[in-house]
Amino acid sequence: MTTTPGGRRRRNPSGARTGPPRWWTLLGGDRVAVCAAVVLTLVLLTALLGPLLIGDRAIRQDLDASLRPPSLDHGFFGLLGTDVLGRSVLARLIEAAGTTLSVAVPAVLCSLVVGSAVGMWAGYHGGRRESVAMRVADVILSFPSLLLAVVVLYVFEPSVANLVLILAIARVPIYLRTARAESAEIRSRLFVDAARTFGTRSGATIVRHILPIVLPTLLTVATLDFCFVMLTESSLSFLGIGIQPPEVSWGLMVAQGRQYLQTAWWIAVLPGVAIVMTTVSATILAAWARLATDPAQRWRLTLPRGRRRRPATTGEGTP
């Protein structure tokens, strides 16, 4: 396919299409990224559909089945063993996946939307608006997010809503500073000046011309921030000021099982493995998405796997 002077694409005489590869083609060429995407998809489906399939098995107690080790002898829900109250660890892992994601996903989305909007607005206009927005971000960043969450949740009631709110507020400066830096650089480009010349309003200019360029970077930051927020929620639940029983999260399961590490290791280790697998998969997929959404770096994903990390050799005497 070639491009005509009017900007339209047309097919080659052979009928084959040419142009940048589709994102699923790029993803299929990276086996590590594919594995990460599969893991995250399974976690998401488990969080959405799992509670409908397990019923009340996550809270059903059976003291006769207390501390059973992982085995195939006790049915599907006994596959990963039971805790001290005889509850299925597998069922609790499925229930906890929904709780953990119900905190991490809304917190990341809220901070992404608010921080990006304020950051692009401040970066586009500059001047006093930019200074005020950056000073507010500096004030929030001056408090460690985990410490801020501990203090607020200690004063107020630990709940999912309060946890989402405090984590979203603590992460807003990350997106604000990123969007501000990108917008401040883009506002001096020729196409933005042309939009101003034709009388386009600032809001329309930000949405139509700046947001599409800034969005890939913001989504990459959000993917990495998802890992941080999920680990923070797990840490707060482990400390006892996050998710409260009878609700369950992966961090709370680790906290409840730490005293049984020598006799029933599966209670604390298996939710810890779930946390590690989810965060590592999100990190790998974020690194792949950063290359896939950057036109200047996308070509690296089209190289054979053995040549992607091979440094370029130049100069005399090199093969």
Side-chain angles (χ1 to χ4, degrees):
M1 180 180 292
T2 59
T3 304
T4 63
R8 297 181 180 179
R9 292 183 176 181
R10 62 186 181 189
R11 293 179 179 273
N12 290 330
S14 61
R17 287 194 173 189
T18 60
R22 304 286 186 178
W23 65 267
W24 54 82
T25 304
L26 296 175
L27 182 62
D30 193 329
R31 289 175 292 180
V32 177
V34 169
C35 293
V38 169
V39 170
L40 291 180
T41 302
L42 290 177
V43 171
L44 182 60
L45 292 177
T46 299
L48 293 177
L49 304 178
L52 302 177
L53 302 177
I54 63 175
D56 64 341
R57 292 183 180 273
I59 59 175
R60 186 186 302 175
Q61 300 180 12
D62 183 5
L63 296 181
D64 293 334
S66 176
L67 299 181
R68 282 180 177 173
S71 173
L72 294 174
D73 300 332
H74 305 291
F76 175 76
F77 288 100
L79 183 64
L80 300 181
T82 59
D83 63 3
V84 67
L85 297 178
R87 296 172 296 190
S88 169
V89 173
L90 176 59
R92 288 177 66 79
L93 281 174
I94 295 174
E95 185 75 20
T99 305
T100 300
L101 293 185
S102 69
V103 173
V105 173
V108 170
L109 288 179
C110 291
S111 57
L112 171 63
V113 172
V114 175
S116 302
V118 176
M120 287 187 292
W121 172 78
Y124 177 80
H125 291 286
R128 183 178 300 177
R129 303 174 188 179
E130 183 178 13
S131 299
V132 171
M134 293 306 297
R135 296 299 77 76
V136 172
D138 292 339
V139 170
I140 298 176
L141 285 176
S142 64
F143 298 95
S145 57
L146 183 59
L147 178 60
L148 181 62
V150 168
V151 173
V152 173
L153 293 175
Y154 182 79
V155 175
F156 298 97
E157 178 185 1
S159 64
V160 173
N162 289 338
L163 196 57
V164 170
L165 180 62
I166 189 60
L167 290 177
I169 293 175
R171 305 308 295 172
V172 162
I174 305 299
Y175 303 97
L176 193 155
R177 294 165 69 95
T178 302
R180 198 279 311 173
E182 294 277 347
S183 301
E185 189 272 332
I186 296 173
R187 71 183 179 189
S188 60
R189 294 189 183 180
L190 185 60
F191 60 87
V192 177
D193 290 336
R196 291 198 198 98
T197 302
F198 283 102
T200 307
R201 295 183 178 180
S202 59
T205 301
I206 292 174
V207 172
R208 296 176 184 175
H209 302 290
I210 296 180
L211 179 60
I213 300 177
V214 179
L215 188 59
T217 301
L218 293 175
L219 292 179
T220 304
V221 174
T223 307
L224 295 174
D225 198 44
F226 169 79
C227 304
F228 179 85
V229 171
M230 193 174 71
L231 291 175
T232 302
E233 181 277 323
S234 301
S235 302
L236 293 172
S237 298
F238 182 83
L239 295 174
I241 56 176
I243 301 299
Q244 301 296 311
E247 296 183 11
V248 60
S249 70
W250 288 337
L252 183 60
M253 290 183 67
V254 174
Q256 293 175 341
R258 68 182 187 276
Q259 56 184 331
Y260 303 103
L261 280 174
Q262 295 183 349
T263 57
W265 56 267
W266 55 90
I267 301 177
V269 170
L270 293 180
V273 171
I275 294 172
V276 171
M277 290 183 61
T278 305
T279 53
V280 170
S281 298
T283 303
I284 293 173
L285 200 61
W288 173 87
R290 185 68 187 93
L291 293 178
T293 55
D294 187 353
Q297 300 292 331
R298 190 181 299 146
W299 62 272
R300 296 180 182 274
L301 298 177
T302 62
L303 293 175
R305 185 172 182 80
R307 296 178 55 190
R308 290 181 186 175
R309 295 179 178 84
R310 184 179 303 172
T313 56
T314 57
E316 298 179 358
T318 58

